[in-house]
Amino acid sequence: MLKAKPQRVKVRKNSLTENLYLDRQGRWVPWKNAAWFSSDSAAERFALRQGIGVFGLFPFESSLGRP
């Protein structure tokens, strides 16, 4: 049985003009300083605990997220 590689994600600000992501302190920061989360649900729970209801999830596997 093959084990699926865990998907790591970052929480992205829901903005067309700002390319910002959440860090572990709940601040919006550039990509290189953002926190990685081990799953979509972990990232969603963190964002909601920070009071952020509108956001996007950006997977590690995506080549579009790296500036």
Side-chain angles (χ1 to χ4, degrees), residues 5-66:
K5 183 177 171 184
Q7 181 180 8
R8 297 186 325 154
V9 295
K10 291 187 179 195
V11 177
R12 185 179 191 282
K13 190 170 189 176
N14 191 25
S15 171
L16 295 175
T17 58
E18 296 177 292
N19 192 22
L20 297 173
Y21 302 83
L22 274 183
D23 69 1
R24 287 286 180 188
Q25 288 73 43
R27 299 174 300 202
W28 295 112
V29 297
W31 171 268
K32 65 181 179 176
N33 302 100
W36 284 110
F37 296 91
S38 59
S39 68
D40 291 359
S41 59
E44 289 172 5
R45 284 192 307 271
F46 181 78
L48 293 173
R49 277 197 310 267
Q50 300 301 318
I52 301 164
V54 180
F55 55 88
L57 297 178
F58 215 98
F60 174 71
E61 290 78 13
S62 174
S63 63
L64 300 176
R66 298 187 186 139

